[in-house]
Amino acid sequence: MISRHSRIVDRALTRLKLRQLRLLLAVENHGNIQNAARELGISQPAATKMIQDLELDFEVKLFSRTNRGVTPTVFGQTLIRHGKLIFAQISNAAQELDDLSEGNSGRVVVGTLLAASTGLLPAAIDILLTARPKVAIKISEGTNEVLMPALLSGEIDLVVGRLPSHRHRDKLQQEKLFEDQIFAVTGNHHPLASKRSLTFDQIKPFGWILPPLETTLRRQVDQFFVGQQQYMPPFAIESVSYLTNRALLQSRDLIGLMPAEVIAQDIESGNISRLNWEVPFGQGPVGISYRSDNSLSPAGHAFKEALHRAAKER
């Protein structure tokens, strides 16, 4: 007896059309079938029939009707997510073929978090380009909240930086490269820059540069502040832009919290100063996140190996 899974897979392989998946994505985007049909240049009855055929083939209900239009069910959301991944893979294949036709030896799209952007990532790129001089590399910078959905949808091949501790972990492969810690830093002119054995009470009067609310580090910062008699900074700037943060530290009496890996070069060159205060939170693993080994192109695998090599040589 054929299982339900085998039956659905057989139907998908023999009957599923990319046009049907495009329609699903359009319905999700517009919130109604009429506008989605218009986008694809088909009639509303034809669009409705396409969705009904999908529901019959997959044996689930994909959309629920509301007074505002239609919304995807949990089954619809799942199929839409996989549809986005399919289209992203088609786009990646077309781009990789285009790169190869132009003489490039593959392509890799890398998402980077702050912890990897100044040391690890440039070193890995240098290693990769030495081995593959014509590889095409695209870098996207952001937070986990932005990069991980792009990774899951196939827009990004892998993400380098602090490994997510909770969200997304069950959907991704992760490889730890090293442990990083957080330093408190200031500009060289800051009143505390040359002080020894600082206490948090000495730090309290100054403003802060903090990571965004949605980050793990920010949650740790907020928990620490609450434990310090509900401490509230005089003022705070939220930023993940390292160039902006460095300029602000150099021009104002602010305190920043940054990964040691990121600021090592600037501390060594004397551009900013590390405070003599041990940050009691923020230590965590820096590594690589990706969907699966099968999802990586040869260039993606080569870049992953370059990251491991760069981490060992740091």
Side-chain angles (χ1 to χ4, degrees):
M1 184 176 182
I2 300 175
S3 68
R4 181 173 181 270
H5 171 264
S6 299
R7 186 170 64 246
I8 292 174
V9 169
D10 183 64
R11 289 174 188 162
L13 290 174
T14 57
R15 297 168 56 172
L16 182 63
K17 298 179 177 62
L18 293 180
R19 192 172 181 81
Q20 290 174 300
L21 295 180
R22 285 183 59 200
L23 175 63
L24 289 187
L25 271 59
V27 173
E28 181 203 31
N29 183 46
H30 291 286
N32 65 72
I33 297 176
Q34 183 177 0
N35 290 342
R38 186 179 298 116
E39 178 182 322
L40 268 65
I42 60 177
S43 67
Q44 182 173 343
T48 300
K49 178 67 165 53
M50 287 170 66
I51 293 173
Q52 290 173 343
D53 288 343
L54 278 174
E55 291 179 328
L56 286 172
D57 286 344
F58 284 95
E59 301 179 14
V60 292
K61 185 174 179 61
L62 298 174
F63 292 96
S64 297
R65 293 191 175 276
T66 69
N67 54 5
R68 295 184 178 181
V70 295
T71 58
T73 65
V74 64
F75 305 109
Q77 291 171 356
T78 299
L79 191 55
I80 287 168
R81 175 167 54 82
H82 284 284
K84 289 178 179 178
L85 186 59
I86 289 170
F87 286 118
Q89 290 297 94
I90 291 173
S91 176
N92 291 343
Q95 183 65 65
E96 191 168 338
L97 291 172
D98 188 47
D99 291 333
L100 289 170
S101 69
E102 294 181 2
N104 297 327
S105 58
R107 177 182 178 85
V108 59
V109 183
V110 184
T112 177
L113 300 159
L114 184 60
S117 60
T118 61
L120 176 67
L121 190 59
I125 290 173
D126 185 59
I127 292 171
L128 180 65
L129 290 177
T130 299
R132 293 172 172 248
K134 294 183 178 181
V135 71
I137 305 170
K138 179 180 177 181
I139 306 297
S140 296
E141 188 175 29
T143 64
N144 268 326
E145 296 300 316
V146 174
L147 296 178
M148 291 304 170
L151 176 61
L152 289 169
S153 68
E155 300 168 58
I156 291 175
D157 295 315
L158 44 83
V159 173
V160 188
R162 285 291 183 105
L163 296 177
S165 56
H166 298 293
R167 294 188 62 189
H168 313 295
R169 285 190 63 179
D170 57 335
K171 303 174 185 175
L172 298 171
Q173 300 291 320
Q174 293 183 346
E175 296 181 11
K176 177 182 172 181
L177 297 175
F178 56 85
E179 284 282 329
D180 197 22
Q181 63 183 117
I182 299 297
F183 287 169
V185 292
T186 66
N188 295 330
H189 64 278
H190 196 284
L192 301 181
S194 59
K195 299 288 185 181
R196 294 185 177 181
S197 300
L198 288 170
T199 65
F200 187 70
D201 284 338
Q202 291 172 281
I203 294 174
K204 284 182 177 180
F206 297 95
W208 293 74
I209 301 176
L210 298 174
L213 287 169
E214 67 269 16
T215 62
T216 299
L217 179 57
R218 178 57 182 277
R219 290 190 286 271
Q220 293 173 340
V221 173
D222 290 343
Q223 289 171 3
F224 174 75
F225 284 172
V226 169
Q228 298 298 312
Q229 299 177 333
Q230 302 287 327
Y231 168 72
M232 292 286 291
F235 66 94
I237 299 169
E238 287 188 9
S239 170
V240 292
S241 170
Y242 181 67
L243 293 179
T244 300
N245 294 351
R246 185 175 64 181
L248 287 169
L249 290 171
Q250 291 171 336
S251 64
R252 304 190 66 86
D253 289 343
L254 295 168
I255 297 170
L257 292 169
M258 298 188 190
E261 176 77 10
V262 172
I263 57 174
Q265 292 180 0
D266 273 322
I267 291 177
E268 184 177 347
S269 61
N271 292 324
I272 56 177
S273 296
R274 179 189 173 187
L275 285 187
N276 288 310
W277 175 64
E278 293 294 330
V279 179
F281 52 80
Q283 182 171 336
V286 171
I288 312 165
S289 299
Y290 56 101
R291 293 186 302 282
S292 68
D293 279 324
N294 292 335
S295 73
L296 292 176
S297 66
H301 279 288
F303 191 73
K304 184 160 72 78
E305 293 305 311
L307 285 164
H308 278 281
R309 181 177 159 189
K312 290 179 181 178
E313 296 176 356
R314 53 185 283 277

